Amino acid sequence: GENVEQHPSTLSVQEGDSAVIKCTYSDSASNYFPWYKQELGKRPQLIIDIRSNVGEKKDQRIAVTLNKTAKHFSLHITETQPEDSAVYFCAANTSGGSYIPTFGRGTSLIVHP
Amino acid sequence: GAVVSQHPSWVICKSGTSVKIECRSLDFQATTMFWYRQFPKQSLMLMATSNEGSKATYEQGVEKDKFLINHASLTLSTLTVTSAHPEDSSFYICSATRQGLYNSPLHFGNGTRLTVT
């Protein structure tokens, strides 16, 4: 089955800095890679996703890059703000009819004002 | 759109009793719903995949007789924790994807904080 590794587990940055979270996956058949943000005590919410036919996707301060050859994808947050503080999860969905996502262990992002 | 409602948001029960958690997709049909368990500061652990009209598929290590899942309609799945014990205390979250859309985002419920005393 799929295995998703996520690093770092904790990331502390100053407001205005950039933050990068990296994930690797094992199943070359995976073709959908969503990122979720979970604030304390709340539900995870999709912030951005990318499919395997695209190398990069950007939405304002958030971007995701995908390297299919190396089987890794990354979340980039620029000009971080305190409200970006949360736990971020990457996930990978395999194709072939089975679309159960496998989640990374999560990254706790702390943005200091 | 794509709202998933989960109830209750929190529940305290005595050891040995059963607790039912409901997960509803409010504005879309969900052939499949997922049930997760989340421990503090940890990732989402998939417990089972709930399929409308058929038996749930449980992940390895999850006791299907203890965590009963029923998916009676395209908008409702329930998780019943039977004979709950303190070690079952956790945060349970359901999620769903739109019917017929593979490899699309998950829409999560608000979660249920279960405390077994």
Side-chain angles (χ1 to χ4, degrees):
Chain A
E2 177 65 278
N3 181 47
V4 177
E5 298 285 339
Q6 182 172 349
H7 298 280
S9 56
T10 305
L11 180 58
S12 183
V13 301
Q14 288 295 130
E15 182 177 1
D17 288 349
S18 295
V20 180
I21 303 171
K22 298 181 179 181
C23 288
T24 60
Y25 60 98
S26 60
D27 190 345
S28 57
S30 291
N31 60 3
Y32 177 63
F33 308 92
W35 285 89
Y36 296 90
K37 174 184 180 182
Q38 186 179 26
E39 297 178 13
L40 189 63
K42 296 188 177 181
R43 73 181 88 193
Q45 291 192 301
L46 178 77
I47 55 171
I48 196 166
D49 57 9
I50 192 167
R51 298 184 189 278
S52 59
N53 58 345
V54 176
E56 183 174 359
K57 184 176 178 180
K58 189 174 181 179
D59 182 4
Q60 299 183 336
R61 296 188 297 109
I62 296 173
V64 56
T65 58
L66 171 65
N67 184 325
K68 287 172 55 180
T69 302
K71 289 189 282 189
H72 68 69
F73 56 112
S74 300
L75 177 70
H76 304 254
I77 305 175
T78 59
E79 300 173 32
T80 54
Q81 300 166 5
E83 51 264 39
D84 294 329
S85 297
V87 178
Y88 292 80
F89 293 99
C90 64
N93 284 34
T94 55
S95 60
S98 172
Y99 57 102
I100 299 173
T102 301
F103 284 88
R105 293 177 65 86
T107 296
S108 177
L109 173 64
I110 303 167
V111 181
H112 299 281
Chain B
V3 176
V4 175
S5 176
Q6 185 174 342
H7 293 281
S9 56
W10 61 270
V11 58
I12 302 172
C13 71
K14 292 186 176 181
S15 186
T17 61
S18 295
V19 173
K20 180 185 282 189
I21 303 170
E22 290 189 348
C23 181
R24 293 179 185 274
S25 55
L26 297 185
D27 56 354
F28 67 99
Q29 294 183 328
T31 310
T32 302
M33 292 184 175
F34 303 101
W35 286 96
Y36 294 88
R37 185 172 179 175
Q38 187 175 34
F39 293 101
K41 297 185 179 180
Q42 293 193 25
S43 189
L44 299 156
M45 184 191 80
L46 180 65
M47 298 175 65
T49 302
S50 171
N51 302 296
E52 186 267 336
S54 64
K55 292 182 179 180
T57 303
Y58 290 82
E59 295 300 300
Q60 190 173 9
V62 178
E63 300 177 57
K64 59 182 179 182
D65 293 332
K66 179 164 188 65
F67 299 100
L68 300 178
I69 291 174
N70 183 277
H71 195 151
S73 75
L74 285 172
T75 59
L76 173 64
S77 176
T78 60
L79 168 68
T80 301
V81 183
T82 62
S83 187
H85 291 285
E87 56 266 31
D88 298 325
S89 298
S90 189
F91 192 56
Y92 294 87
I93 310 179
C94 68
S95 69
T97 55
R98 289 179 178 273
Q99 182 185 22
L101 290 183
Y102 296 105
N103 284 338
S104 60
L106 293 180
H107 303 285
F108 288 87
N110 260 332
T112 298
R113 174 77 56 192
L114 171 63
T115 303
V116 185
T117 60

